[in-house]
Amino acid sequence: MMASNEDHPHGDETVGVPITCDNWRNKQLNEAKDKIWSEIKRCFDIEENRRDHCLKLAGKLLRGFRTFLSTTFLRDTEGTFVDAELPSKYASLISPKEWETFKSKRKTQEFKSVSETNRQRVSSPAYPYRKGRVGYGRLEQSILTKENSSETSLPAHVLWKEARVGKDGKIKEDVQQIFEKCETLSQSIVPYEDTDCRSILSRALDVPEYSGRVRGKGFGITQKSLNIKKQKTPSNKELQQTLEALKAEVLELRKERERDRAAGFKDTSDKDSINCNFQPTIPEGISPCHLYLARPTYRMVGKGKVHNNLGELLHTKPLPTGSLKVSVDIALEKDALLPHPDDVSDATLLGDAIGSFVAWPTDLIIVGYETPTKSKAKDKGIAREIESVASQKEIPVAKKTEISKRTGAKKKNPSKYRACLHTYLETTDISDGCVRLIPMDGAIFGFEYAEPLGKEDFDQILYHTQLSVGVINTYMRYLYDKLMGPRGLEQRFSFLNPMKTNLTEMIRKPDEVRTYVVERFMADTDREKLFFLPFNTGDGGHWLLVAINPFKEIVYYLDSLHNDWTTYPAMKTIVDTIIQTVRAQRKIQVPKRKANNITCNRVECPRQRNNIDCGYYTLRFMKETLLMDRTDIPSDYFDEYRCAYYSKDQLDEIKEELCQFIIELQVL
């Protein structure tokens, strides 16, 4: 660090931080910090939002330099203080006045006391490191290599335990206890509900956190960047009030349920003299439909036709409020109770109402389906074993979790289409290994084909597991049909097929990948366009988004794990090569020294909190960019969608859109 102007012996104009500085937060150092930051920016390509972190590191380096001066020049081999002269090699950095002040501070009793305390603390750690000069980095790499693992890192508590295994292979009891506590915590923590910024190891050790630091969230991450706020621990009185409020709410829900049960079989036709139940959300006239019930579970029970006409009567009587007239064609559950029993025919079961008209609640009617006299599943089914090899996808199926059951009818059902798709799939041959084909127009990826979806693909949507390329491609068709087409965005945005551009293809068939992408880029060379490439890294199926503007030679990189380009060198190499190839075909002359001058912007996008959500995050990145209608993506993401992480509702929105779209396609 350079000395300040008034202290420097040669009157150097460089503004610096003196070694006598004890408070790095002193506002008088702002000018010096600005100079340090400008020097860092001059030497390195680094984003502005990393300024605070870099300057914190500079403060640590200053403290380290002071420690080095004390240890090297002001202490002898036995640790006794030595009144040394200013070292000649640092005379250009430290003034004599600074040196004398620095020495006097090192001789005070206060400094000696702090130094001795820290020395004792370091010399007797509670859980000593037992791998000698082998650091954590090399230890982790050796373990992964020995186990032939495809992972890039180990859990922090696993690496911590391995670092404390002696040469005899034995582990101390206290270390093993901490490790077992970490394992218990890792199984009990629910990612969506976890608001504690500490890592599992920090919680098990119960160590205090440094101010502003977030353990286990990555290098340089702070509470400010994650928008984490410390929550006040509620008092016993507040907990008691919350408990009483919950009890009152549960009691009210029970009363409401009893009222609903009592009203379920009550004929409300005496309240209405005319039917005013026309629903603008349902097509006017007669439409084919599926009929659902909400109790005891939300499920499809039959098929028929809904009559949505103003003034429609049921057996010369007005319809109950909130219901429409339907004709029952097929009963999937013949013993299902009718929501409104038919007084004319005395029918109370769905099977008894086949061929007749009944009243059905509007929010339990799904329109837009054909009502065939026999199942079409066998006609459209394609056995997985006879499917073409190129279309088969080897995607591991995660353990299923039970779909939450509906305990009552709701006007706004947040998982309505997922429940509908789940119920309908049970009536098809999907569970027997057959697939359905999603037609892909040539305008979406540059070639026409059919995307196969099998049971494992549907399960990924229904049970929230890691997404396959088939689901990713299907959602891109949804974006093309629902957003790009109606808004005319196909002139400004386009897609690249992730099946043709994944990491495996880039490594094994780089020429084919390059040819495909170059042809897509060259089809629109006369205007600016942003191409979306959902990229799969291949190491466990992690998805990220690469958005490329070949016209401006800008690449936007959105990774929900917040990795950088160096994590996937093959991807960067081939993207750079493709852009240079397009540049050559467009006959754009670039100076030789700027041949590789391709702008790569790493976007600070929302960050996932588990190892499953990457696919859903990638789909939201594309959707939000299209909604903004911008071919440039800000480095700190769009203001309208900026957040630390996506909520459960935001991820469920993607799944609902997928399920509704698949249902509308009528491929089942």
Side-chain angles (χ1 to χ4, degrees), residues 32-97:
K33 290 180 180 179
D34 291 340
K35 177 64 177 177
I36 294 171
W37 177 240
S38 64
E39 287 297 308
I40 294 174
K41 293 270 289 183
R42 185 176 65 84
C43 300
F44 302 97
D45 183 13
I46 190 168
E47 298 173 358
E48 189 67 29
N49 59 4
R50 308 298 290 176
R51 183 181 188 273
D52 291 344
H53 177 64
C54 291
L55 291 180
K56 285 181 181 179
L57 293 180
K60 291 181 180 179
L61 291 174
L62 175 60
R63 294 196 296 273
F65 180 59
R66 291 202 300 263
T67 301
F68 166 76
L69 292 175
S70 298
T71 305
T72 308
F73 302 105
L74 298 182
R75 292 185 182 276
D76 57 19
T77 56
E78 297 179 356
T80 306
F81 181 82
V82 177
D83 190 6
E85 297 294 331
L86 173 64
S88 58
K89 64 183 299 183
Y90 298 115
S92 61
L93 301 176
I94 306 171
S95 68
K97 181 180 178 181

Side-chain angles (χ1 to χ4, degrees), residues 11 22 46 53 82 84 114 139 146 148 153 156-157 170 242 263 289 297 351 363 425 432 439 511 515 575-576 594 647:
D22 293 327
I46 190 168
H53 177 64
V82 177
V114 173
L139 175 62
K146 183 178 179 180
N148 195 23
S153 62
H157 65 281
K170 295 182 179 180
T242 303
C289 66
T297 60
D363 57 349
L425 286 173
D432 297 330
D511 293 338
T515 300
V575 169
D576 289 350
K594 295 184 178 180
S647 66

